[in-house]
Amino acid sequence: MLDETWRPDGVIGPREYFITRALDEGNYEISYRTDGRYIYVGLKVKTSGWVGVGISAGEGMRNGDIVFAYVTDDGRAIVEDHFGVSATQHLPDIELGGTSDIVEFGGKEEGGYTIIEFKRPVASKDKFDISLVEGMQTLIWAYGVDDSPEKHVAMGYIDVRLR
Ligand code: HEM
């Protein structure tokens, strides 16, 4: 039962999300729920660096709809809406002429983990976003060791049913 209100407070409550999946031997945990209009995502990753998740276009990072997030040294959560411009690079949608469609977010760093929570529309009008489909969807996931956008220490793919 989902009896907990979603709050982007950096705490992933036991009943705040529908599903939690543990990847990378438990170092990367992704939780999510949808209400038809929005998707709500919680990431809890064993790093003090950046964390990312994206909707795959089937080509690694290229053409992927990527969320790139981190918590600054003074405790502010930064959550950016990115797009995979090539197999090796992603850029903020706003730098590409698109829009940032992460409507609410928050997070914190605690006990060696970076916890990020965000909300975005299931379908956005931005051409740098991928709308969620009915049925299975492939996500890409990754994280780094610090906040600067250096290459991941771990990354991969996961198939999920998001709506
Ligand atoms: C932060 C800056 C990033 C850099 C500099 C970077 C760099 C790269 C590079 C060079 C590759 C090519 C393969 C390799 O050398 O291992 C790659 C592949 C990949 N990246 Fe990133 N990446 C970044 C962020 C991300 C993020 C945020 C995600 C996911 C949300 C991600 C997911 C992937 C995946 C899934 C592949 C695998 C492609 C494949 O082999 O099928 N990366 N990345």
Side-chain angles (χ1 to χ4, degrees):
M1 258 285 283
L2 272 182
D3 53 7
E4 226 179 296
T5 310
W6 181 79
R7 276 192 207 92
D9 55 3
V11 178
I12 296 186
R15 287 197 273 270
E16 195 177 3
Y17 294 93
F18 281 126
I19 290 183
T20 297
R21 301 270 299 263
L23 311 171
D24 193 36
E25 296 172 347
N27 291 323
Y28 183 109
E29 263 183 27
I30 177 167
S31 307
Y32 51 88
R33 74 196 263 186
T34 45
D35 59 13
R37 211 164 151 217
Y38 295 100
I39 177 157
Y40 305 79
V41 178
L43 301 175
K44 182 176 178 190
V45 187
K46 201 165 183 186
T47 182
S48 55
W50 64 264
V51 304
V53 64
I55 303 173
S56 169
E59 311 167 74
M61 297 197 292
R62 198 172 114 83
N63 290 324
D65 180 2
I66 292 173
V67 173
F68 183 79
Y70 54 95
V71 177
T72 61
D73 290 344
D74 57 1
R76 273 180 316 123
I78 309 287
V79 182
E80 295 177 346
D81 187 356
H82 283 212
F83 181 75
V85 290
S86 72
T88 56
Q89 200 194 5
H90 51 85
L91 287 172
D93 293 3
I94 50 169
E95 281 180 29
L96 299 166
T99 53
S100 178
D101 293 278
I102 297 159
V103 286
E104 265 188 83
F105 63 86
K108 64 180 178 192
E109 236 172 77
E110 197 173 70
Y113 288 86
T114 292
I115 302 138
I116 295 287
E117 299 185 282
F118 67 88
K119 164 183 174 183
R120 62 150 265 182
V122 161
S124 108
K125 294 189 185 74
D126 188 4
K127 67 174 174 178
F128 298 105
D129 288 339
I130 299 175
S131 294
L132 302 184
V133 295
E134 301 267 1
M136 299 306 286
Q137 194 128 32
T138 302
L139 301 186
I140 50 175
W141 62 270
Y143 63 93
V145 282
D146 57 41
D147 291 345
S148 63
E150 303 291 328
K151 199 179 137 182
H152 16 81
V153 286
M155 55 79 174
Y157 296 84
I158 174 185
D159 285 333
V160 291
R161 188 176 173 279
L162 297 176
R163 58 177 296 226

PDB file of all heavy atoms in Angstrom, residues 116-150:
ATOM      1  N   ILE A 116      18.739  11.020  -3.943  1.00  0.00           N
ATOM      2  CA  ILE A 116      18.121  12.034  -4.808  1.00  0.00           C
ATOM      3  C   ILE A 116      16.684  11.614  -5.074  1.00  0.00           C
ATOM      4  O   ILE A 116      16.412  10.437  -5.352  1.00  0.00           O
ATOM      5  CB  ILE A 116      18.886  12.124  -6.160  1.00  0.00           C
ATOM      6  CG1 ILE A 116      20.328  12.620  -5.977  1.00  0.00           C
ATOM      7  CG2 ILE A 116      18.121  12.975  -7.178  1.00  0.00           C
ATOM      8  CD1 ILE A 116      20.490  14.089  -5.648  1.00  0.00           C
ATOM      9  N   GLU A 117      15.771  12.560  -4.973  1.00  0.00           N
ATOM     10  CA  GLU A 117      14.375  12.283  -5.325  1.00  0.00           C
ATOM     11  C   GLU A 117      13.908  13.350  -6.306  1.00  0.00           C
ATOM     12  O   GLU A 117      14.205  14.538  -6.133  1.00  0.00           O
ATOM     13  CB  GLU A 117      13.493  12.317  -4.074  1.00  0.00           C
ATOM     14  CG  GLU A 117      13.905  11.264  -3.062  1.00  0.00           C
ATOM     15  CD  GLU A 117      12.963  11.198  -1.873  1.00  0.00           C
ATOM     16  OE1 GLU A 117      13.079  12.067  -0.996  1.00  0.00           O
ATOM     17  OE2 GLU A 117      12.087  10.297  -1.858  1.00  0.00           O
ATOM     18  N   PHE A 118      13.199  12.917  -7.357  1.00  0.00           N
ATOM     19  CA  PHE A 118      12.712  13.899  -8.316  1.00  0.00           C
ATOM     20  C   PHE A 118      11.403  13.430  -8.962  1.00  0.00           C
ATOM     21  O   PHE A 118      11.046  12.257  -8.902  1.00  0.00           O
ATOM     22  CB  PHE A 118      13.767  14.207  -9.394  1.00  0.00           C
ATOM     23  CG  PHE A 118      14.082  13.070 -10.327  1.00  0.00           C
ATOM     24  CD1 PHE A 118      13.339  12.865 -11.479  1.00  0.00           C
ATOM     25  CD2 PHE A 118      15.121  12.190 -10.052  1.00  0.00           C
ATOM     26  CE1 PHE A 118      13.636  11.814 -12.352  1.00  0.00           C
ATOM     27  CE2 PHE A 118      15.433  11.135 -10.904  1.00  0.00           C
ATOM     28  CZ  PHE A 118      14.677  10.947 -12.064  1.00  0.00           C
ATOM     29  N   LYS A 119      10.745  14.401  -9.566  1.00  0.00           N
ATOM     30  CA  LYS A 119       9.448  14.172 -10.214  1.00  0.00           C
ATOM     31  C   LYS A 119       9.493  14.796 -11.601  1.00  0.00           C
ATOM     32  O   LYS A 119       9.986  15.910 -11.756  1.00  0.00           O
ATOM     33  CB  LYS A 119       8.399  14.872  -9.347  1.00  0.00           C
ATOM     34  CG  LYS A 119       7.063  15.118  -9.951  1.00  0.00           C
ATOM     35  CD  LYS A 119       6.206  15.900  -8.938  1.00  0.00           C
ATOM     36  CE  LYS A 119       4.882  16.304  -9.532  1.00  0.00           C
ATOM     37  NZ  LYS A 119       4.082  17.113  -8.591  1.00  0.00           N
ATOM     38  N   ARG A 120       9.009  14.076 -12.608  1.00  0.00           N
ATOM     39  CA  ARG A 120       8.917  14.652 -13.955  1.00  0.00           C
ATOM     40  C   ARG A 120       7.679  14.108 -14.668  1.00  0.00           C
ATOM     41  O   ARG A 120       7.162  13.052 -14.282  1.00  0.00           O
ATOM     42  CB  ARG A 120      10.180  14.394 -14.779  1.00  0.00           C
ATOM     43  CG  ARG A 120      10.484  12.944 -15.032  1.00  0.00           C
ATOM     44  CD  ARG A 120      11.200  12.745 -16.342  1.00  0.00           C
ATOM     45  NE  ARG A 120      10.270  12.424 -17.400  1.00  0.00           N
ATOM     46  CZ  ARG A 120      10.605  12.157 -18.643  1.00  0.00           C
ATOM     47  NH1 ARG A 120      11.862  12.185 -19.000  1.00  0.00           N
ATOM     48  NH2 ARG A 120       9.708  11.847 -19.551  1.00  0.00           N
ATOM     49  N   PRO A 121       7.196  14.841 -15.669  1.00  0.00           N
ATOM     50  CA  PRO A 121       5.999  14.351 -16.355  1.00  0.00           C
ATOM     51  C   PRO A 121       6.263  13.035 -17.085  1.00  0.00           C
ATOM     52  O   PRO A 121       7.374  12.803 -17.569  1.00  0.00           O
ATOM     53  CB  PRO A 121       5.686  15.449 -17.373  1.00  0.00           C
ATOM     54  CG  PRO A 121       6.526  16.611 -17.018  1.00  0.00           C
ATOM     55  CD  PRO A 121       7.678  16.116 -16.220  1.00  0.00           C
ATOM     56  N   VAL A 122       5.263  12.203 -17.147  1.00  0.00           N
ATOM     57  CA  VAL A 122       5.335  10.954 -17.908  1.00  0.00           C
ATOM     58  C   VAL A 122       5.609  11.282 -19.381  1.00  0.00           C
ATOM     59  O   VAL A 122       6.395  10.627 -20.042  1.00  0.00           O
ATOM     60  CB  VAL A 122       3.997  10.192 -17.725  1.00  0.00           C
ATOM     61  CG1 VAL A 122       3.798   9.149 -18.797  1.00  0.00           C
ATOM     62  CG2 VAL A 122       3.945   9.566 -16.337  1.00  0.00           C
ATOM     63  N   ALA A 123       4.963  12.345 -19.861  1.00  0.00           N
ATOM     64  CA  ALA A 123       5.197  12.804 -21.236  1.00  0.00           C
ATOM     65  C   ALA A 123       5.466  14.298 -21.180  1.00  0.00           C
ATOM     66  O   ALA A 123       4.686  15.043 -20.595  1.00  0.00           O
ATOM     67  CB  ALA A 123       3.971  12.531 -22.082  1.00  0.00           C
ATOM     68  N   SER A 124       6.604  14.710 -21.741  1.00  0.00           N
ATOM     69  CA  SER A 124       6.872  16.150 -21.786  1.00  0.00           C
ATOM     70  C   SER A 124       6.894  16.588 -23.244  1.00  0.00           C
ATOM     71  O   SER A 124       7.025  15.768 -24.148  1.00  0.00           O
ATOM     72  CB  SER A 124       8.197  16.458 -21.073  1.00  0.00           C
ATOM     73  OG  SER A 124       9.195  16.802 -21.996  1.00  0.00           O
ATOM     74  N   LYS A 125       6.765  17.881 -23.453  1.00  0.00           N
ATOM     75  CA  LYS A 125       6.717  18.372 -24.835  1.00  0.00           C
ATOM     76  C   LYS A 125       8.104  18.627 -25.395  1.00  0.00           C
ATOM     77  O   LYS A 125       8.277  18.903 -26.566  1.00  0.00           O
ATOM     78  CB  LYS A 125       5.898  19.656 -24.883  1.00  0.00           C
ATOM     79  CG  LYS A 125       4.439  19.426 -24.547  1.00  0.00           C
ATOM     80  CD  LYS A 125       3.607  20.681 -24.808  1.00  0.00           C
ATOM     81  CE  LYS A 125       2.182  20.499 -24.361  1.00  0.00           C
ATOM     82  NZ  LYS A 125       2.050  20.545 -22.889  1.00  0.00           N
ATOM     83  N   ASP A 126       9.098  18.536 -24.530  1.00  0.00           N
ATOM     84  CA  ASP A 126      10.460  18.834 -24.943  1.00  0.00           C
ATOM     85  C   ASP A 126      10.994  17.737 -25.869  1.00  0.00           C
ATOM     86  O   ASP A 126      10.906  16.550 -25.550  1.00  0.00           O
ATOM     87  CB  ASP A 126      11.335  18.925 -23.679  1.00  0.00           C
ATOM     88  CG  ASP A 126      12.725  19.408 -23.976  1.00  0.00           C
ATOM     89  OD1 ASP A 126      13.014  19.751 -25.138  1.00  0.00           O
ATOM     90  OD2 ASP A 126      13.531  19.432 -23.036  1.00  0.00           O
ATOM     91  N   LYS A 127      11.599  18.141 -26.976  1.00  0.00           N
ATOM     92  CA  LYS A 127      12.113  17.117 -27.907  1.00  0.00           C
ATOM     93  C   LYS A 127      13.360  16.417 -27.347  1.00  0.00           C
ATOM     94  O   LYS A 127      13.800  15.407 -27.892  1.00  0.00           O
ATOM     95  CB  LYS A 127      12.384  17.719 -29.278  1.00  0.00           C
ATOM     96  CG  LYS A 127      13.502  18.715 -29.322  1.00  0.00           C
ATOM     97  CD  LYS A 127      13.764  19.135 -30.761  1.00  0.00           C
ATOM     98  CE  LYS A 127      14.802  20.242 -30.766  1.00  0.00           C
ATOM     99  NZ  LYS A 127      15.200  20.733 -32.014  1.00  0.00           N
ATOM    100  N   PHE A 128      13.911  16.951 -26.253  1.00  0.00           N
ATOM    101  CA  PHE A 128      15.055  16.294 -25.621  1.00  0.00           C
ATOM    102  C   PHE A 128      14.625  15.368 -24.478  1.00  0.00           C
ATOM    103  O   PHE A 128      15.446  14.960 -23.666  1.00  0.00           O
ATOM    104  CB  PHE A 128      16.072  17.329 -25.154  1.00  0.00           C
ATOM    105  CG  PHE A 128      16.625  18.131 -26.295  1.00  0.00           C
ATOM    106  CD1 PHE A 128      16.230  19.446 -26.508  1.00  0.00           C
ATOM    107  CD2 PHE A 128      17.507  17.549 -27.193  1.00  0.00           C
ATOM    108  CE1 PHE A 128      16.723  20.171 -27.581  1.00  0.00           C
ATOM    109  CE2 PHE A 128      18.001  18.268 -28.272  1.00  0.00           C
ATOM    110  CZ  PHE A 128      17.609  19.583 -28.470  1.00  0.00           C
ATOM    111  N   ASP A 129      13.339  15.084 -24.398  1.00  0.00           N
ATOM    112  CA  ASP A 129      12.832  14.127 -23.410  1.00  0.00           C
ATOM    113  C   ASP A 129      12.202  12.946 -24.135  1.00  0.00           C
ATOM    114  O   ASP A 129      11.687  13.091 -25.243  1.00  0.00           O
ATOM    115  CB  ASP A 129      11.763  14.769 -22.518  1.00  0.00           C
ATOM    116  CG  ASP A 129      12.366  15.773 -21.537  1.00  0.00           C
ATOM    117  OD1 ASP A 129      13.581  15.679 -21.265  1.00  0.00           O
ATOM    118  OD2 ASP A 129      11.623  16.637 -21.064  1.00  0.00           O
ATOM    119  N   ILE A 130      12.243  11.791 -23.491  1.00  0.00           N
ATOM    120  CA  ILE A 130      11.569  10.604 -24.016  1.00  0.00           C
ATOM    121  C   ILE A 130      10.357  10.330 -23.129  1.00  0.00           C
ATOM    122  O   ILE A 130      10.498  10.274 -21.900  1.00  0.00           O
ATOM    123  CB  ILE A 130      12.519   9.384 -24.008  1.00  0.00           C
ATOM    124  CG1 ILE A 130      13.740   9.642 -24.899  1.00  0.00           C
ATOM    125  CG2 ILE A 130      11.783   8.127 -24.453  1.00  0.00           C
ATOM    126  CD1 ILE A 130      14.787   8.534 -24.865  1.00  0.00           C
ATOM    127  N   SER A 131       9.193  10.180 -23.739  1.00  0.00           N
ATOM    128  CA  SER A 131       7.988   9.895 -22.962  1.00  0.00           C
ATOM    129  C   SER A 131       7.984   8.434 -22.537  1.00  0.00           C
ATOM    130  O   SER A 131       8.458   7.566 -23.259  1.00  0.00           O
ATOM    131  CB  SER A 131       6.743  10.178 -23.790  1.00  0.00           C
ATOM    132  OG  SER A 131       6.658  11.551 -24.069  1.00  0.00           O
ATOM    133  N   LEU A 132       7.435   8.199 -21.360  1.00  0.00           N
ATOM    134  CA  LEU A 132       7.323   6.817 -20.906  1.00  0.00           C
ATOM    135  C   LEU A 132       6.254   6.103 -21.718  1.00  0.00           C
ATOM    136  O   LEU A 132       5.219   6.676 -22.037  1.00  0.00           O
ATOM    137  CB  LEU A 132       6.927   6.772 -19.428  1.00  0.00           C
ATOM    138  CG  LEU A 132       7.861   7.494 -18.459  1.00  0.00           C
ATOM    139  CD1 LEU A 132       7.397   7.269 -17.035  1.00  0.00           C
ATOM    140  CD2 LEU A 132       9.282   6.996 -18.626  1.00  0.00           C
ATOM    141  N   VAL A 133       6.532   4.839 -22.028  1.00  0.00           N
ATOM    142  CA  VAL A 133       5.573   4.043 -22.789  1.00  0.00           C
ATOM    143  C   VAL A 133       4.847   3.083 -21.860  1.00  0.00           C
ATOM    144  O   VAL A 133       5.275   2.852 -20.732  1.00  0.00           O
ATOM    145  CB  VAL A 133       6.281   3.222 -23.903  1.00  0.00           C
ATOM    146  CG1 VAL A 133       6.890   4.141 -24.933  1.00  0.00           C
ATOM    147  CG2 VAL A 133       7.340   2.286 -23.325  1.00  0.00           C
ATOM    148  N   GLU A 134       3.738   2.534 -22.337  1.00  0.00           N
ATOM    149  CA  GLU A 134       3.086   1.439 -21.609  1.00  0.00           C
ATOM    150  C   GLU A 134       3.982   0.220 -21.756  1.00  0.00           C
ATOM    151  O   GLU A 134       4.487  -0.045 -22.841  1.00  0.00           O
ATOM    152  CB  GLU A 134       1.727   1.099 -22.249  1.00  0.00           C
ATOM    153  CG  GLU A 134       0.751   2.246 -22.301  1.00  0.00           C
ATOM    154  CD  GLU A 134      -0.173   2.270 -21.095  1.00  0.00           C
ATOM    155  OE1 GLU A 134      -0.030   1.392 -20.215  1.00  0.00           O
ATOM    156  OE2 GLU A 134      -1.014   3.170 -21.039  1.00  0.00           O
ATOM    157  N   GLY A 135       4.179  -0.504 -20.700  1.00  0.00           N
ATOM    158  CA  GLY A 135       4.972  -1.730 -20.814  1.00  0.00           C
ATOM    159  C   GLY A 135       6.434  -1.514 -20.508  1.00  0.00           C
ATOM    160  O   GLY A 135       6.806  -0.564 -19.829  1.00  0.00           O
ATOM    161  N   MET A 136       7.259  -2.382 -21.034  1.00  0.00           N
ATOM    162  CA  MET A 136       8.662  -2.383 -20.629  1.00  0.00           C
ATOM    163  C   MET A 136       9.452  -1.235 -21.251  1.00  0.00           C
ATOM    164  O   MET A 136       9.215  -0.833 -22.374  1.00  0.00           O
ATOM    165  CB  MET A 136       9.331  -3.701 -21.029  1.00  0.00           C
ATOM    166  CG  MET A 136       8.731  -4.919 -20.389  1.00  0.00           C
ATOM    167  SD  MET A 136       8.650  -4.810 -18.594  1.00  0.00           S
ATOM    168  CE  MET A 136      10.373  -5.044 -18.173  1.00  0.00           C
ATOM    169  N   GLN A 137      10.386  -0.768 -20.502  1.00  0.00           N
ATOM    170  CA  GLN A 137      11.215   0.358 -20.907  1.00  0.00           C
ATOM    171  C   GLN A 137      12.639   0.084 -20.423  1.00  0.00           C
ATOM    172  O   GLN A 137      12.822  -0.421 -19.331  1.00  0.00           O
ATOM    173  CB  GLN A 137      10.680   1.591 -20.180  1.00  0.00           C
ATOM    174  CG  GLN A 137      11.173   2.876 -20.703  1.00  0.00           C
ATOM    175  CD  GLN A 137       9.985   3.793 -20.986  1.00  0.00           C
ATOM    176  OE1 GLN A 137       8.975   3.730 -20.316  1.00  0.00           O
ATOM    177  NE2 GLN A 137      10.122   4.636 -21.970  1.00  0.00           N
ATOM    178  N   THR A 138      13.614   0.419 -21.234  1.00  0.00           N
ATOM    179  CA  THR A 138      14.993   0.229 -20.799  1.00  0.00           C
ATOM    180  C   THR A 138      15.543   1.533 -20.231  1.00  0.00           C
ATOM    181  O   THR A 138      15.471   2.581 -20.868  1.00  0.00           O
ATOM    182  CB  THR A 138      15.867  -0.240 -21.975  1.00  0.00           C
ATOM    183  OG1 THR A 138      15.314  -1.449 -22.490  1.00  0.00           O
ATOM    184  CG2 THR A 138      17.300  -0.510 -21.514  1.00  0.00           C
ATOM    185  N   LEU A 139      16.084   1.422 -19.040  1.00  0.00           N
ATOM    186  CA  LEU A 139      16.745   2.574 -18.417  1.00  0.00           C
ATOM    187  C   LEU A 139      18.249   2.374 -18.456  1.00  0.00           C
ATOM    188  O   LEU A 139      18.733   1.233 -18.488  1.00  0.00           O
ATOM    189  CB  LEU A 139      16.331   2.711 -16.943  1.00  0.00           C
ATOM    190  CG  LEU A 139      14.853   2.899 -16.624  1.00  0.00           C
ATOM    191  CD1 LEU A 139      14.693   3.150 -15.123  1.00  0.00           C
ATOM    192  CD2 LEU A 139      14.255   4.049 -17.418  1.00  0.00           C
ATOM    193  N   ILE A 140      18.982   3.489 -18.426  1.00  0.00           N
ATOM    194  CA  ILE A 140      20.418   3.417 -18.181  1.00  0.00           C
ATOM    195  C   ILE A 140      20.673   4.013 -16.808  1.00  0.00           C
ATOM    196  O   ILE A 140      19.943   4.904 -16.368  1.00  0.00           O
ATOM    197  CB  ILE A 140      21.239   4.153 -19.269  1.00  0.00           C
ATOM    198  CG1 ILE A 140      20.715   5.568 -19.511  1.00  0.00           C
ATOM    199  CG2 ILE A 140      21.227   3.362 -20.563  1.00  0.00           C
ATOM    200  CD1 ILE A 140      21.570   6.375 -20.481  1.00  0.00           C
ATOM    201  N   TRP A 141      21.672   3.508 -16.138  1.00  0.00           N
ATOM    202  CA  TRP A 141      21.998   4.009 -14.804  1.00  0.00           C
ATOM    203  C   TRP A 141      23.510   4.128 -14.699  1.00  0.00           C
ATOM    204  O   TRP A 141      24.258   3.420 -15.402  1.00  0.00           O
ATOM    205  CB  TRP A 141      21.446   3.079 -13.709  1.00  0.00           C
ATOM    206  CG  TRP A 141      22.028   1.695 -13.766  1.00  0.00           C
ATOM    207  CD1 TRP A 141      21.547   0.634 -14.461  1.00  0.00           C
ATOM    208  CD2 TRP A 141      23.244   1.244 -13.142  1.00  0.00           C
ATOM    209  NE1 TRP A 141      22.368  -0.449 -14.309  1.00  0.00           N
ATOM    210  CE2 TRP A 141      23.416  -0.105 -13.502  1.00  0.00           C
ATOM    211  CE3 TRP A 141      24.191   1.845 -12.300  1.00  0.00           C
ATOM    212  CZ2 TRP A 141      24.502  -0.862 -13.057  1.00  0.00           C
ATOM    213  CZ3 TRP A 141      25.273   1.098 -11.851  1.00  0.00           C
ATOM    214  CH2 TRP A 141      25.417  -0.249 -12.238  1.00  0.00           C
ATOM    215  N   ALA A 142      23.972   5.029 -13.830  1.00  0.00           N
ATOM    216  CA  ALA A 142      25.417   5.197 -13.660  1.00  0.00           C
ATOM    217  C   ALA A 142      25.690   6.062 -12.445  1.00  0.00           C
ATOM    218  O   ALA A 142      24.805   6.783 -11.969  1.00  0.00           O
ATOM    219  CB  ALA A 142      26.019   5.858 -14.906  1.00  0.00           C
ATOM    220  N   TYR A 143      26.904   5.996 -11.952  1.00  0.00           N
ATOM    221  CA  TYR A 143      27.321   6.951 -10.914  1.00  0.00           C
ATOM    222  C   TYR A 143      28.823   7.165 -10.972  1.00  0.00           C
ATOM    223  O   TYR A 143      29.568   6.355 -11.538  1.00  0.00           O
ATOM    224  CB  TYR A 143      26.870   6.522  -9.509  1.00  0.00           C
ATOM    225  CG  TYR A 143      27.437   5.223  -8.991  1.00  0.00           C
ATOM    226  CD1 TYR A 143      28.609   5.207  -8.216  1.00  0.00           C
ATOM    227  CD2 TYR A 143      26.800   4.013  -9.240  1.00  0.00           C
ATOM    228  CE1 TYR A 143      29.120   4.014  -7.717  1.00  0.00           C
ATOM    229  CE2 TYR A 143      27.305   2.825  -8.745  1.00  0.00           C
ATOM    230  CZ  TYR A 143      28.467   2.830  -7.991  1.00  0.00           C
ATOM    231  OH  TYR A 143      28.964   1.655  -7.499  1.00  0.00           O
ATOM    232  N   GLY A 144      29.236   8.296 -10.396  1.00  0.00           N
ATOM    233  CA  GLY A 144      30.649   8.652 -10.401  1.00  0.00           C
ATOM    234  C   GLY A 144      31.170   8.810  -8.988  1.00  0.00           C
ATOM    235  O   GLY A 144      30.414   8.689  -8.021  1.00  0.00           O
ATOM    236  N   VAL A 145      32.449   9.096  -8.873  1.00  0.00           N
ATOM    237  CA  VAL A 145      33.027   9.209  -7.530  1.00  0.00           C
ATOM    238  C   VAL A 145      33.038  10.624  -6.979  1.00  0.00           C
ATOM    239  O   VAL A 145      33.190  10.823  -5.783  1.00  0.00           O
ATOM    240  CB  VAL A 145      34.467   8.653  -7.445  1.00  0.00           C
ATOM    241  CG1 VAL A 145      34.451   7.161  -7.391  1.00  0.00           C
ATOM    242  CG2 VAL A 145      35.334   9.162  -8.558  1.00  0.00           C
ATOM    243  N   ASP A 146      32.917  11.630  -7.842  1.00  0.00           N
ATOM    244  CA  ASP A 146      32.773  12.986  -7.308  1.00  0.00           C
ATOM    245  C   ASP A 146      31.740  13.767  -8.108  1.00  0.00           C
ATOM    246  O   ASP A 146      31.117  13.216  -9.012  1.00  0.00           O
ATOM    247  CB  ASP A 146      34.124  13.710  -7.187  1.00  0.00           C
ATOM    248  CG  ASP A 146      34.843  13.763  -8.503  1.00  0.00           C
ATOM    249  OD1 ASP A 146      34.174  14.005  -9.511  1.00  0.00           O
ATOM    250  OD2 ASP A 146      36.080  13.565  -8.520  1.00  0.00           O
ATOM    251  N   ASP A 147      31.555  15.048  -7.746  1.00  0.00           N
ATOM    252  CA  ASP A 147      30.437  15.794  -8.339  1.00  0.00           C
ATOM    253  C   ASP A 147      30.721  16.282  -9.763  1.00  0.00           C
ATOM    254  O   ASP A 147      29.803  16.638 -10.492  1.00  0.00           O
ATOM    255  CB  ASP A 147      30.070  16.997  -7.445  1.00  0.00           C
ATOM    256  CG  ASP A 147      29.458  16.540  -6.129  1.00  0.00           C
ATOM    257  OD1 ASP A 147      29.074  15.362  -6.033  1.00  0.00           O
ATOM    258  OD2 ASP A 147      29.387  17.363  -5.208  1.00  0.00           O
ATOM    259  N   SER A 148      32.001  16.326 -10.140  1.00  0.00           N
ATOM    260  CA  SER A 148      32.291  16.791 -11.498  1.00  0.00           C
ATOM    261  C   SER A 148      31.933  15.676 -12.485  1.00  0.00           C
ATOM    262  O   SER A 148      32.022  14.483 -12.151  1.00  0.00           O
ATOM    263  CB  SER A 148      33.763  17.166 -11.615  1.00  0.00           C
ATOM    264  OG  SER A 148      34.547  16.029 -11.410  1.00  0.00           O
ATOM    265  N   PRO A 149      31.513  16.060 -13.682  1.00  0.00           N
ATOM    266  CA  PRO A 149      31.014  15.050 -14.624  1.00  0.00           C
ATOM    267  C   PRO A 149      32.101  14.215 -15.284  1.00  0.00           C
ATOM    268  O   PRO A 149      32.244  14.174 -16.499  1.00  0.00           O
ATOM    269  CB  PRO A 149      30.219  15.883 -15.633  1.00  0.00           C
ATOM    270  CG  PRO A 149      30.786  17.240 -15.556  1.00  0.00           C
ATOM    271  CD  PRO A 149      31.372  17.419 -14.198  1.00  0.00           C
ATOM    272  N   GLU A 150      32.879  13.550 -14.456  1.00  0.00           N
ATOM    273  CA  GLU A 150      33.854  12.580 -14.973  1.00  0.00           C
ATOM    274  C   GLU A 150      33.128  11.277 -15.236  1.00  0.00           C
ATOM    275  O   GLU A 150      32.081  11.020 -14.675  1.00  0.00           O
ATOM    276  CB  GLU A 150      34.960  12.327 -13.943  1.00  0.00           C
ATOM    277  CG  GLU A 150      35.717  13.559 -13.497  1.00  0.00           C
ATOM    278  CD  GLU A 150      36.595  14.140 -14.588  1.00  0.00           C
ATOM    279  OE1 GLU A 150      37.089  13.350 -15.419  1.00  0.00           O
ATOM    280  OE2 GLU A 150      36.758  15.372 -14.612  1.00  0.00           O
TER     281      GLU A 150
END
